[in-house]
Amino acid sequence: MTFGLLRFSLYTKLKLPIHCRHSFTVNIPCNGIRKPLFNETVRWLSTKNTVPKQTKKLFSESKVLRLYSLAKPEKNRLICAVCFLLVSSAVTMAIPFSFGRIVDIIYKSNVSEAQAKLITICAILLPVFIVGAMCNFGRIYLINTSGYKITKRLRELLFKALLSQETAYFDRHKTGELINRLSSDCLLVSQTVTTNISDGLRSTIMVVSGISFMFFVSPKLALVGLSIVPPVAALAVIYGRFVRKITRSVQDSLAASNQVAEERISNIRTVKAFSQEKKEMGYYGEKMNEVLQLSIKESLMRGLFFAMTGFSGNFIIISVLYSGGLLVSEQAISVGELSSFLLYAAYTGVSIGGLSTFYSDINKGLGASSRIWEIIDRKPSIPISGGLKPLTDPKGDLSFRNVVFNYPNRPDAPILNGLNLEIPSGMVYALVGHSGSGKSTLGHLLLRLYDPQNGEICLDSTNIKMYDPIWLHSHIGVVSQEPILFSGTVRENIAYGREDFTENEIIDAAKEANAYEFIVQKFPEGFNTIVGERGVLLSGGQKQRIAISRALLKNPKILLLDEATSALDAESEKLIQEALQRVLKGRTVLTIAHRLSTIKNADKLAVLFNGKIAELGSYEDLISLENGVFRKLNKNQILTS
């Protein structure tokens, strides 16, 4: 599909699909600005009907191949590790042969002849063993470091996929579950493609070599000893399928328990304030019991499987001892050859056990990887980038046109139902309504954390879906009722929304938000003060003013204030109100407030009722309406001074 030059007005009227994976040029005349300012190349990111080539390819591959494709970037290191593995395995498999020769020398030679031959053999074996040790070191070092790199890469890929998801995704998935995917699942998968494959390859080499030497020494004994292998192999296949299923269940249950721990620890002050420590201990214990029961089930099957394989190995040894003893008595083989054969049989038995473990671990890795692929393959409904990036700052006109919305997790609970609202540039509009009327929802939609099911939200007459989300967010400053700070310094939190800043800009933003004084006077380390997790080391007023500083540093054209002072004391509110009055000038402001003192200075009040704007006007106009919604809200003390 190829697009030519299209006028934007015609494009929107035709309602052509905007999410097309093509580059094309649009010529946009807007707000009287000359066309050349808006000639730009736009790359639309697909969110619905297109699947990247890489994803299609991965879907066509088997789960095992995709799992081991993670090791591709480390192929050179892993090839070297495999070479070291071949050498060290060869050295290991030389031991039984050497042992048999030594036994025969002892039995067949006199003392002086035996001593000379033993010295020669040991002189040959010592440097061979040194080489084997060095190769073993190289193998383990390369395998482990490759595993760490794969873990790092996989976690980064998964974290990137998580942050790329739309907000609704996190409404459905708990934090602890996602953290478990990043931690234990990624580690398990990386071990599967490094350490486990190394151990599996080593076991395979030793099994093949052991069986070959067994047939070389005595084909008859080899057939006797290996007769038990086919039923054990069939048992391993059945066991592997069970392990894959149970591992997935264990990982899911462990994720649920991690969610409980993460949520309770992050809200420890609330737990302690209500003295719910014992209750939470019991609740976490219940979750861990679920993990334990599944683990016990897995352990039962594991125990049965390894008991069977261990018995099979011992049965092989007994059979070989009996048959081998008869062959020695008949002088068909020597004592040394029987000794070598027994060691090869023992090595082969241990290696078959290693292959069983390898098969089990492969299935565990597949179980853990399936959850990771689900996240990585998922295409977010709202992309994090892609769209128009106008060369000039927006004017700031906002329009909500026939907006219909309900949260994805609550499809039967509509929030907005055909809402219409026009906010001219530079005006201060206050949203008023009872709790749950959708005031904060409008802010979420403006930030495009969610998309409405119907209608459109426009900035300067252009649907915000058309804009690059990064560009859109760079022109919107947000101050919420409970600002979330990160556990870094004051400076890091103020500068969070911007990368290119100077120290003077940080200071100016703090001064404008009435934050500079308490930062330099009350904090010994000033802007380098650690605020703690979620800003717990600061008061509510201090957090709020730092959040305002963070919003101001972006110098946004649009300011969204979500009940920014409703939870503060009078003194803190006064300081913040002073700061807000200074920063509102020249900006389009949408403020959500319960307090009368907050909304009296707004140019207009928009009253939300039944998912629509029921009333719109100044405070004096709305309070004078006899049966007005706003007057009833005020009368019922939903609004307070």
Side-chain angles (χ1 to χ4, degrees), residues 209-251:
S209 302
I211 292 174
S212 300
F213 277 109
M214 287 166 67
F215 275 100
F216 175 76
V217 172
S218 175
K220 184 177 180 180
L221 277 181
L223 291 173
V224 171
L226 297 176
S227 60
I228 197 68
V229 171
V232 173
L235 181 63
V237 172
I238 298 172
Y239 171 72
R241 291 175 180 173
F242 171 80
V243 166
R244 185 186 307 182
K245 183 178 178 181
I246 194 67
T247 298
R248 182 166 179 149
S249 300
V250 170
Q251 292 299 110

Side-chain angles (χ1 to χ4, degrees), residues 33 51 53 88 96 189 192-193 206 222 248 273 290 324 329 337 380 388 398 400 411 421 446 494 525 527 535 546 565:
I33 300 176
V51 181
K53 293 180 180 178
S88 62
V189 169
T192 301
V193 298
M206 293 185 69
R248 182 166 179 149
E290 294 177 8
S329 64
E337 288 174 332
L388 292 172
L398 296 176
F400 296 83
L421 179 63
L446 178 61
I494 293 177
E525 297 181 22
F527 284 91
I546 289 177
T565 62

Side-chain angles (χ1 to χ4, degrees), residues 505-566:
E505 287 178 318
I506 292 279
I507 294 173
D508 290 342
K511 286 181 177 178
E512 202 169 358
N514 277 345
Y516 181 77
E517 198 170 303
F518 77 79
I519 291 174
V520 297
Q521 290 184 1
K522 295 186 178 181
F523 297 161
E525 297 181 22
F527 284 91
N528 294 321
T529 301
I530 300 295
V531 303
E533 186 179 11
R534 300 170 67 89
V536 295
L537 301 180
L538 307 182
S539 68
Q542 289 172 340
K543 286 196 294 184
Q544 199 66 273
R545 280 176 275 175
I546 289 177
I548 294 174
S549 303
R550 178 171 61 189
L552 293 179
L553 188 64
K554 295 168 64 176
N555 191 25
K557 185 62 182 177
I558 302 165
L559 199 56
L560 178 60
L561 307 175
D562 191 351
E563 302 181 6
T565 62
S566 64

